[in-house]
Amino acid sequence: MLYKVIVSVQSIVGMLFGLNRLYVHQPAFKWQKHSLEMMEIVPNHSFKRFSSILLEDPLNVIKELEIIVQEVYQFIQHEFPRIDVSKVINQSLFLRPKNRRSQFIQFDKDM
C-alpha cells in the first residue's frame, strides 16, 4: 500500500506539465527526464529526486515527497495567484504521526 501511495503522489509531474503549459504527450511520463528538463518551473534537482523515490528508504521518500508537493503548491501560488490552494496546502500539512519503524505492527511469531 505504501508504494501505491508513493507512485500516486509522484503523479505531481502532471501538475508540473500544467504549470509549464506543456502538452502531456505520454500520460505515463515514460520520458520523465526529458520532460522535466524542458520545464522552466520545476523543483531543483527534480529528476534525481523523482527517480530515487522507489529506490530509497520509504521513510525518507515520504519526507521528500512531502517537500516536493509543498514546492509545487508554492509554484502554483506564484504562477496563479487567483487560484486559492490554501485548503489543499492545509490538508497536505495536516499533522501525521511521526514515521518510525517501531510504529509498524509487530506480529507475534507464535501466532
Side-chain angles (χ1 to χ4, degrees):
M1 285 183 3
L2 176 63
Y3 285 104
K4 185 175 181 176
V5 170
I6 290 170
V7 170
S8 69
V9 172
Q10 202 174 11
S11 67
I12 195 115
V13 174
M15 287 185 182
L16 292 172
F17 272 99
L19 279 168
N20 286 278
R21 295 167 178 84
L22 295 172
Y23 173 72
V24 182
H25 58 277
Q26 175 42 271
F29 308 119
K30 185 175 178 180
W31 297 282
Q32 191 175 65
K33 181 177 183 185
H34 174 72
S35 299
L36 291 169
E37 288 173 347
M38 290 184 344
M39 297 179 186
E40 292 180 24
I41 304 169
V42 66
N44 291 331
H45 313 291
S46 57
F47 177 71
K48 179 181 176 185
R49 291 164 76 187
F50 280 123
S51 60
S52 69
I53 285 175
L54 294 175
L55 303 173
E56 301 287 327
D57 179 344
L59 297 177
N60 294 333
V61 167
I62 295 298
K63 292 174 189 173
E64 184 64 28
L65 280 174
E66 289 175 344
I67 293 168
I68 291 171
V69 167
Q70 293 306 314
E71 290 175 8
V72 171
Y73 288 149
Q74 289 173 357
F75 291 144
I76 293 170
Q77 283 184 315
H78 182 264
E79 292 297 312
F80 301 100
R82 292 184 181 178
I83 297 177
D84 182 14
V85 292
S86 60
K87 183 177 179 182
V88 179
I89 291 172
N90 289 337
Q91 286 176 339
S92 71
L93 293 173
F94 184 74
L95 184 61
R96 291 177 276 304
K98 290 183 180 179
N99 292 323
R100 286 193 218 144
R101 292 185 193 278
S102 61
Q103 289 181 331
F104 291 107
I105 297 173
Q106 299 291 325
F107 291 101
D108 188 358
K109 292 180 183 179
D110 297 329
M111 292 180 79

